[in-house]
Amino acid sequence: MIPSGEHEPGPAQGPGFGAAAAPAGAWAGAPAGASAGGAPAAIELRGISKSFGPVQANKDIDLTVARGSIHGIVGENGAGKSTLMSILYGFYRPDAGTIRIGGREIAITDSQTAIRAGIGMVFQHFKLVPNFTVLENVILGAEDGPWLRGSLARARGELQRLAADYDLQVDPDRTVETLSVGHQQRVEILKALYRRAEILILDEPTGVLTPAEADHLFRILGGLRDQGKTIVLITHKLREIMDITDTVSVMRRGEIVTTMPTRDTSPERLAEAMVGRKVLLDSGRTPAVPGPAVLDLKGLRMVDKDGVERLRGIDLSLRAGEILGLAGVSGNGQSALMEILGGYPEPGAKVEGRLTLNGRPLPLTRTDAGARRDAGIGHIPEDRQAEGLIMDFAAWENTAFGYHDRARYGRGWLMDTAAMRAEAAAWMDQFDVRPRDPDLASRNFSGGNQQKLVVAREIENDPTVLLIGQPTRGVDIGAIEFIHRRIIGLRDAGRAILLVSVELDEIMQLSDRIAVMFDGRIMGERLPGQTDAGELGLLMAGLDPATTAPEDGIPPEVGGPAPPFDPGRDRPSDAGPASPSPSKGII
Amino acid sequence: MDFATVIQILDSAVRLMTPLLLACLAGLFSERSGIFDIGLEGKMLMAAFASAAAAAVTGNVWIGLAAGVAGSAALSLVHGAASITFRGNQLISGVAINFLASGLTVLLGQTWFGLGGRTPALDGAARFAEWQLPFAAQIAPVPVIGPLYADVLSGHTPLVYVALLAVPATWWLLYRTRFGLRLRAVGENPASVDTAGVSVTRLRWTAIAITGLLTGLAGAYLATGLSAGFVKEMSAGRGYIALAALIFANWRPWRALGATFLFGLMEAVANRFPGIDLGPFTVPSMFMNALPYILTVIILAGFIGRATPPRAGGEPYVKES
Amino acid sequence: MTRLPRWADIVLTPLLSLVLAFAISALVILAIGENPWTALTTMVTGALGSSYGWGFTLYYATNFIFTALAVAVASHAGLFNIGAEGQATLGGLGVALVALALPWPHWGLALPAAMIGAALFGAAWAFVPAILQARRGSHIVITTIMFNFIAAALLNYVLVNLMRPVGSMDPASARFPDGTHLPKLTDLAASAGIEWGKNTPANITFLIAVAACALVWLLIWRTRLGYEIRSFGRSERAARYAGISPVRITVVAMLISGALAGLMAVNNVMGEAERLLLNSVEGAGFIGIAVALMGRNHPFGILLAAILFGFLYQGGAELALWTSIPRELITVIQALVILFTGALDNMVRMPLERLWGRR
């Protein structure tokens, strides 16, 4: 709706747009008359509300997105962004409100309606069939008739055209599971375009991409906009909003708190609007005073049960009192590395290399995470819901998880449940876990409070080395600040910390040293003060910054990162609790 | 062992393969759509009873067949409600269906016929007649090929040929049609189908309906083709063996034919030679009877081949974004 | 999504499921031309109306407690053990071997020895499916079913070819020595001066079963092993992260499960038949599934559900005796209970949740 000056051709500007300069509050309430002088708005939402039981996920949402623009929606986890987009895509029906697409009011009852209305959606977790070819994935649900042959032939031609028009090259006959994550995302975009989408919604699209891949995606999105498509970008990365969008809305607690032209705002102001108060985007870190090396890893190799080499010779040295940040796009072996260091290499994997802690060798091949804890290596796993906690256990059961054989929980076979409860209550106090109820099942805590339970457990057991995977994924900003401070506190107490995060900002903010992982290797090491996102981005794409220009840092179509469809692993999974599967094995 | 015995055993193997093959393909449709079905056993048993009962009463085997399909379809309906509509545990539902069939068949059988759970013996038009394939008589004298055609392939009841034709039909449906594409997709990643605007629920219900039809045929064959009437627990674990064959076949139709033929052959050999004399000791008949179950365990242990099940199998689909 | 209060979750939903299962059973009885009310009164009088009836009800309940505890322990580890039937069959073999091995002087010596025999054989029969699941990923549901069939064939072979007394045509073992005769509950009552349950098979094993409930409760909710079993059952990945070995837990949980199932044989083989018969388990292994589901895998719930099924079983026998309703009605009821409490759980839960959401 705000055709920014830089982007031509913009849509015709009606008189209603005079409000663009008005304060944000007034903007959100601008009249629906966007069509007054020109093309109708691509999307127009009025008074959309949706609640799940007592939880109001969306509250009286008004939103107008002009045709041929890129609109960003930012907000914290749980602010209601995804619910709103799911309503637009027919996954949920709103309790109240109207939706107009291209000026026409429609009721989006299911995804089919949304698709017919010209809405395409690229989900954060791709909705592809891993063992289908690109072509099969593209036609799925949009076949021309009951027989496949004709559909496949037509789609092949159509894909060629789209690839040429939008710079979206993918081999149509390749099985999706063999493609790199970036290319899988292209398949998702192609799916939408094949269905003649005019509006493209992307939910957190850059979470799995290297910076260069993300830039390439943004160029594609820019091209689509220039051809008149409308794009809605949902993200929590303010940098992306500033870089690519024309207009931006901020959501907080189910409401749109402000909508404005991107050029009129700043990351600080957006962050403030997201949280509802002033935010320090800085963790207050003081320089580290590193001690001697405590953890030494030499020549770590790992071949998984399918014979794929996932770690290809990793050397790491971790000193007391420092945070070593391990950057990289997810799926490049970080999870495998953390699991091996944590004492539980994935079943069937072959591991070789040498690991010492304070000069004493630790076994690499055996699976015994308990022994690793006894040796002094703690671990905050990247997926708290699938690994760090048993979601059905009460908080007090989870604060002993992994340390349950310690003598303080009772000697012999029986466990001292009273001691466990008392300890949990004390830790919940210290880490401000809310609600402060040790008997509450862990799934009933919010993401941030669940993570605090895990952080409390691992820090309070006072490890020599702490492995931390994705400490703030799916965690609200308040809890992020808290967790960051605790991590730095542990470092200042002289502990060694290995931090894995796909959030480059988090890595740059917390680390005293940064190592970049790509395809099972360490591509290089940098000091935070002496590098920038561009250089790290190249390393993350597996390229040598000395010989490559930043914009060429795109991994090949095939190979590189580990197979992304490896069940449940190396993928963000804050979408929901892992349901306890009744089935183990195959039937 | 002479050639005539080999032919006899092969002929018997084809007969014994048929219910396994139909049940295996039934399981294939269900599991390819992401629904585990250990209730094949119960559905077969129910179909066997319903077909035998209807055939006994009407004297018409085709009415029996329809009743058999209806019987297993009813249980499929239960399984669908439990695993699709109410997102319940598919294994438990299967177990319940097996007991339900086991109890109901005897309960109804005893009430209707008073023969201790059996149905009256079937004969004439109440059983399937054997079909001679064209030119069977003419080709029969040709050495090797003649007996193979005339005795092994020809001379079976219609359901045997239905089962054999179901193999290419399943392949074609699965890999050459829109329905097959969607079915395979829904068992791998139901969200892909759902976000494409296709109903996961409807696809899975369709798959379950096909499963009901095929187990119906399997059960009807048991009671009206292989035997002449229903006896208590006559499915005798065939539903489970069909599942093992499905795993062995890696959820593919042509391999299902091979796997079920193997099991059929084993049963045929066990029937022909109840106790095998190996000189110093005799293999007891109990061992031969248990052989299919033992082999199933060995296959499940993955010592032969490696299976990759449909990824979404066993999990109820819950929409999430 | 509204969450139900705890009591509704634990008491109301299984109760409603049970009511549904019984309502449909009543329809089945109507459909075969009998009167459900008469059937119910026949069952209640026959099973609960006299100490004689109770004696049988408790005897059957004892069987079901063991098999249901077996199913429950496995279920806490996320394993669906459908093999209790076969494990109990093998348990019977263990009991028989122990009982026939020595001229036992007193039951007080024979009982612990027979319990060890039963538990060992039951556990051994569970071990193969367990290790195949843990190491090879073979689905334990199918392997345990297969092992039921194999157990039946094995027992058939052993009884016919090895244990059958010379000259006997029965596929059964010799009668156990008198020193293995377990006190019946009626004897215990008589020694306390109460006349109760004359000529009924309920025996001292019932008390062992009740003790087993307490021990299983302790195991699951108070020991480290129980903690690890529950962790593994909820999430295998989390268990690995916490240093809990999936192989160890799978095997240990199944060994305990198999041992519990095997222990059932002390009741039916040693306490009642006093010789090993073909098919002495009579489906109790499967009923254990229904009982465990009904009792929500909790030993106390299992105790109650087992008595309920003991009533059904004894009542079913009475039905077959006094009416023309075959015993298989019980199988149907059992199937319906499994269906409603296990698979159609949400059918009851969803409307309840909606009801609570509206309040």
Side-chain angles (χ1 to χ4, degrees):
Chain A
M1 74 200 119
I2 307 298
S4 64
E6 300 96 75
H7 295 295
E8 291 300 347
Q13 202 167 354
F17 287 92
W27 180 259
S35 57
I43 306 171
E44 209 178 312
L45 306 180
R46 289 269 150 242
I48 296 286
S49 291
K50 173 77 189 171
S51 55
F52 300 99
V55 182
Q56 181 100 36
N58 283 166
K59 206 184 301 175
D60 200 21
I61 301 266
D62 289 338
L63 178 69
T64 312
V65 179
R67 221 173 75 82
S69 75
I70 300 184
H71 184 86
I73 297 183
V74 282
E76 286 204 76
N77 260 292
K81 298 168 293 187
S82 293
T83 304
L84 186 61
M85 291 309 121
S86 297
I87 286 173
L88 212 44
Y89 199 63
F91 261 32
Y92 302 129
R93 313 228 12 207
D95 301 333
T98 57
I99 301 174
R100 285 166 189 273
I101 300 297
R104 205 160 49 85
E105 182 171 337
I106 60 168
I108 302 181
T109 50
D110 51 23
S111 303
Q112 190 76 61
T113 327
I115 293 167
R116 256 185 270 123
I119 299 172
M121 181 113 177
V122 176
F123 291 89
Q124 187 179 0
H125 310 285
F126 303 149
K127 310 292 183 188
L128 299 170
V129 184
N131 60 355
F132 276 17
T133 63
V134 170
L135 212 53
E136 287 174 319
N137 264 294
V138 166
I139 62 164
L140 179 66
E143 306 88 344
D144 296 331
W147 323 129
L148 285 186
R149 196 182 293 262
S151 309
L152 287 167
R154 188 177 77 82
R156 189 179 294 277
E158 184 71 8
L159 280 195
Q160 267 164 11
R161 189 184 68 75
L162 291 170
D165 284 3
Y166 301 107
D167 199 11
L168 281 166
Q169 284 81 7
V170 198
D171 178 354
D173 294 314
R174 200 162 267 294
T175 310
V176 157
E177 61 195 339
T178 66
L179 292 177
S180 77
V181 178
H183 283 81
Q184 289 178 12
Q185 190 174 57
R186 287 187 198 176
V187 178
E188 284 285 19
I189 297 174
L190 284 169
K191 262 168 74 177
L193 295 177
Y194 184 76
R195 288 160 173 73
R196 301 179 193 287
E198 285 301 315
I199 299 167
L200 199 58
I201 305 170
L202 297 102
D203 190 3
E204 300 283 0
T206 60
V208 289
L209 303 182
T210 66
E213 278 178 310
D215 285 345
H216 183 252
L217 170 69
F218 290 158
R219 279 202 302 279
I220 292 170
L221 296 184
L224 287 167
R225 171 196 41 207
D226 295 345
Q227 306 232 4
K229 310 262 186 208
T230 307
I231 294 173
V232 178
L233 179 70
I234 303 169
T235 181
H236 66 279
K237 295 183 182 169
L238 301 177
R239 200 157 33 90
E240 289 170 5
I241 294 286
M242 298 310 294
D243 283 356
I244 179 175
T245 63
D246 303 315
T247 51
V248 56
S249 296
V250 180
M251 284 189 80
R252 185 172 78 229
R253 291 203 200 116
E255 290 180 275
I256 289 196
V257 289
T258 176
T259 295
M260 56 190 136
T262 309
R263 57 170 177 223
D264 295 348
T265 186
S266 67
E268 288 76 17
R269 281 177 57 197
L270 287 176
E272 205 179 313
M274 273 164 69
V275 187
R277 63 180 165 85
K278 282 247 184 263
V279 192
L280 290 172
L281 287 176
D282 159 35
S283 55
R285 193 170 62 96
T286 52
V289 193
V294 283
L295 188 84
D296 231 3
L297 181 65
K298 286 263 180 310
L300 176 66
R301 290 176 183 279
M302 188 272 252
V303 178
D304 70 11
K305 63 174 192 306
D306 298 321
V308 180
E309 190 172 30
R310 305 265 297 277
L311 298 175
R312 307 160 184 260
I314 290 190
D315 301 318
L316 276 181
S317 173
L318 194 55
R319 286 174 295 178
E322 74 162 353
I323 297 175
L324 172 59
L326 204 50
V329 177
S330 73
N332 277 288
Q334 300 98 316
S335 307
L337 173 65
M338 295 294 261
E339 286 173 2
I340 290 170
L341 291 178
Y344 58 111
E346 87 176 35
K350 283 195 204 51
V351 184
E352 59 180 71
R354 229 177 59 238
L355 176 67
T356 55
L357 180 68
N358 286 325
R360 280 189 309 122
L362 292 177
L364 270 180
T365 44
R366 232 185 46 230
T367 299
D368 192 348
R372 212 39 74 82
R373 285 185 180 85
D374 293 341
I377 299 182
H379 185 185
I380 297 171
E382 61 174 21
D383 190 335
R384 61 178 164 275
Q385 298 190 328
E387 286 194 340
L389 299 166
I390 299 286
M391 299 305 281
D392 289 335
F393 274 14
W396 65 269
E397 287 176 296
N398 269 317
T399 47
F401 194 53
Y403 299 91
H404 52 276
D405 54 357
R406 295 287 152 103
R408 66 174 187 274
Y409 300 126
R411 294 177 189 280
W413 283 63
L414 293 180
M415 297 181 97
D416 183 350
T417 54
M420 292 167 78
R421 273 203 179 81
E423 183 188 74
W427 288 355
M428 288 169 81
D429 254 356
Q430 286 167 38
F431 284 79
D432 192 27
V433 180
R434 293 177 218 186
R436 211 149 292 169
D437 178 2
D439 284 306
L440 195 64
S442 300
R443 69 167 72 258
N444 297 338
F445 289 94
S446 73
N449 284 300
Q450 286 171 358
Q451 187 71 341
K452 281 183 183 176
L453 283 174
V454 179
V455 171
R457 179 181 73 211
E458 299 303 325
I459 287 185
E460 288 298 316
N461 275 290
D462 195 22
T464 314
V465 173
L466 184 58
L467 312 169
I468 305 180
Q470 318 295 350
T472 55
R473 177 184 282 162
V475 168
D476 54 284
I477 287 190
I480 290 179
E481 287 179 292
F482 184 90
I483 290 169
H484 281 179
R485 252 181 284 127
R486 286 298 179 137
I487 292 173
I488 289 167
L490 192 70
R491 178 202 71 174
D492 293 342
R495 307 297 178 237
I497 292 166
L498 179 62
L499 168 75
V500 167
S501 178
V502 293
E503 302 281 346
L504 205 46
D505 293 344
E506 187 170 46
I507 292 277
M508 308 249 304
Q509 229 181 80
L510 288 179
S511 313
D512 303 309
R513 259 189 314 144
I514 298 173
V516 182
M517 248 184 120
F518 171 76
D519 196 16
R521 285 191 191 87
I522 302 284
M523 290 302 294
E525 229 180 79
R526 298 287 185 274
L527 292 174
Q530 298 167 13
T531 186
D532 55 31
E535 189 188 21
L536 292 176
L538 280 179
L539 290 169
M540 284 162 75
L543 297 167
D544 182 355
T547 57
T548 321
E551 59 273 18
D552 294 334
I554 294 175
E557 176 170 349
V558 195
F565 281 100
D566 195 12
R569 305 183 67 258
D570 283 9
R571 271 188 297 165
S573 64
D574 47 348
S579 61
S581 160
S583 51
K584 291 202 156 88
I586 52 176
I587 197 162
Chain B
M1 194 164 19
D2 57 6
F3 186 66
T5 318
V6 171
I7 290 294
Q8 269 175 24
I9 289 177
L10 286 177
D11 177 46
S12 164
V14 170
R15 287 172 210 277
L16 292 166
M17 170 197 74
T18 301
L20 294 176
L21 179 55
L22 285 165
C24 187
L25 292 175
L28 189 147
F29 277 99
S30 181
E31 301 212 344
R32 274 294 184 130
S33 84
I35 304 224
F36 284 164
D37 196 350
I38 59 171
L40 294 176
E41 175 80 5
K43 280 181 257 187
M44 262 165 94
L45 189 65
M46 185 53 101
F49 171 75
S51 62
V57 170
T58 61
N60 183 330
V61 69
W62 295 100
I63 294 177
L65 182 67
V69 170
S72 85
L75 291 184
S76 277
L77 204 68
V78 172
H79 192 52
S83 38
I84 304 172
T85 310
F86 293 110
R87 301 199 285 268
N89 185 320
Q90 299 169 8
L91 294 177
I92 294 180
S93 168
V95 170
I97 283 169
N98 289 339
F99 289 131
L100 197 59
S102 161
L104 272 183
T105 49
V106 181
L107 191 70
L108 295 177
Q110 173 64 14
T111 310
W112 290 341
F113 305 107
L115 298 169
R118 303 169 53 109
T119 60
L122 304 174
D123 53 16
R127 281 194 76 192
F128 276 110
E130 292 175 351
W131 277 1
Q132 294 305 322
L133 292 188
F135 310 112
Q138 289 86 326
I139 297 175
V142 182
V144 186
I145 297 172
L148 276 178
Y149 181 77
D151 295 332
V152 177
L153 209 57
S154 175
H156 293 289
T157 56
L159 285 181
V160 174
Y161 303 108
V162 170
L164 288 173
L165 288 177
V167 175
T170 302
W171 176 85
W172 179 80
L173 202 59
L174 218 51
Y175 296 103
R176 287 290 178 268
T177 69
R178 176 173 68 189
F179 171 72
L181 184 80
R182 293 175 175 187
L183 187 78
R184 286 181 290 136
V186 84
E188 290 290 327
N189 183 5
S192 70
V193 174
D194 192 23
T195 51
V198 180
S199 163
V200 172
T201 311
R202 192 182 310 161
L203 268 173
R204 289 193 163 167
W205 271 111
T206 313
I208 280 213
I210 297 175
T211 303
L213 170 71
L214 288 173
T215 42
L217 299 181
Y221 178 77
L222 272 184
T224 61
L226 203 57
S227 327
F230 175 84
V231 278
K232 201 167 150 173
E233 301 294 343
M234 81 180 303
S235 47
R238 284 193 174 86
Y240 304 119
I241 292 176
L243 273 184
L246 182 59
I247 295 166
F248 195 27
N250 217 357
W251 293 266
R252 287 163 209 272
W254 284 107
R255 292 198 208 174
L257 177 64
T260 51
F261 182 73
L262 182 70
F263 276 111
L265 187 63
M266 227 164 37
E267 207 183 335
V269 170
N271 289 350
R272 183 71 174 71
F273 307 104
I276 298 177
D277 192 357
L278 290 179
F281 67 99
T282 312
V283 177
S285 63
M286 293 89 169
F287 177 77
M288 293 305 289
N289 289 336
L291 200 58
Y293 310 119
I294 295 172
L295 194 79
T296 302
V297 172
I298 293 173
I299 286 172
L300 284 171
F303 294 117
I304 314 168
R306 191 170 156 197
T308 31
R311 247 170 271 236
E315 300 285 338
Y317 178 62
V318 183
K319 231 180 236 251
E320 62 174 48
S321 51
Chain C
M1 215 101 48
T2 338
R3 271 168 204 287
L4 291 179
R6 227 175 113 75
W7 69 270
D9 192 45
I10 295 174
V11 181
L12 196 58
T13 46
L15 222 56
L16 283 176
S17 303
L18 195 66
V19 167
L20 269 173
F22 282 158
I24 296 188
S25 307
L27 290 180
V28 172
I29 298 175
L30 272 180
I32 60 173
E34 299 281 337
N35 183 339
W37 182 248
T38 324
L40 182 65
T41 49
T42 310
M43 286 174 78
V44 170
T45 337
L48 307 175
S50 63
S51 73
Y52 179 80
W54 271 100
F56 277 92
T57 298
L58 290 186
Y59 164 73
Y60 291 124
T62 308
N63 288 341
F64 305 153
I65 289 173
F66 281 119
T67 53
L69 287 177
V71 174
V73 169
S75 172
H76 278 293
L79 302 163
F80 193 7
N81 178 13
I82 311 193
E85 185 80 8
Q87 290 144 20
T89 303
L90 265 283
L93 186 56
V95 166
L97 290 178
V98 168
L100 293 169
L102 293 174
W104 294 95
H106 188 268
W107 66 266
L109 291 173
L111 177 62
M115 283 175 67
I116 291 172
L120 277 181
F121 271 66
W125 205 245
F127 176 73
V128 181
I131 197 76
L132 288 178
Q133 165 82 69
R135 292 251 184 241
R136 312 281 318 177
S138 329
H139 204 291
I140 203 152
V141 167
I142 308 220
T143 48
T144 48
I145 291 172
M146 292 296 120
F147 266 67
N148 288 338
F149 286 107
I150 299 171
L154 178 68
L155 192 72
N156 192 355
Y157 174 75
V158 169
L159 285 179
V160 171
N161 297 31
L162 305 176
M163 289 184 86
R164 187 163 46 113
V166 183
S168 160
M169 292 308 290
D170 245 6
S173 78
R175 189 158 281 284
F176 296 166
D178 286 345
T180 64
H181 176 80
L182 293 180
K184 302 273 196 253
L185 289 187
T186 177
D187 306 334
L188 296 182
S191 63
I194 305 163
E195 191 177 312
W196 184 91
K198 254 185 155 12
N199 297 323
T200 61
N203 59 74
I204 193 163
T205 320
F206 174 70
L207 303 179
I208 298 175
V210 175
C213 286
L215 284 176
V216 167
W217 178 83
L218 205 65
L219 168 76
I220 295 294
W221 276 282
R222 283 297 179 270
T223 66
R224 293 201 152 82
L225 179 61
Y227 181 88
E228 296 193 337
I229 286 177
R230 285 184 296 129
S231 304
F232 173 72
R234 298 291 181 179
S235 165
E236 179 166 345
R237 260 183 85 190
R240 283 169 39 75
Y241 156 80
I244 298 165
S245 156
V247 174
R248 182 175 146 259
I249 295 298
T250 302
V251 170
V252 169
M254 280 303 288
L255 286 179
I256 296 174
S257 176
L260 283 165
L263 278 173
M264 184 201 118
V266 174
N267 187 48
N268 67 335
V269 176
M270 193 173 179
E272 201 253 345
E274 304 196 348
R275 57 180 184 144
L276 185 57
L277 300 161
L278 212 56
N279 190 27
S280 59
V281 185
E282 291 183 305
F286 298 123
I287 293 179
I289 298 168
V291 172
L293 282 171
M294 187 76 227
R296 301 263 146 175
N297 290 326
H298 191 289
F300 185 67
I302 285 173
L303 183 63
L304 294 182
I307 292 175
L308 174 77
F309 268 84
F311 149 72
L312 283 178
Y313 218 69
Q314 168 58 12
E318 295 282 324
L319 271 187
L321 202 60
W322 301 110
T323 71
S324 54
I325 302 174
R327 277 193 80 128
E328 275 73 13
L329 174 67
I330 303 308
T331 313
V332 174
I333 296 180
Q334 167 200 346
L336 291 169
V337 169
I338 294 178
L339 189 66
F340 283 106
T341 57
L344 287 170
D345 192 49
N346 279 335
M347 191 168 104
V348 175
R349 197 177 293 265
M350 281 172 179
L352 276 182
E353 279 174 350
R354 222 166 295 142
L355 215 67
W356 249 269
R358 205 174 298 152
R359 293 197 329 172

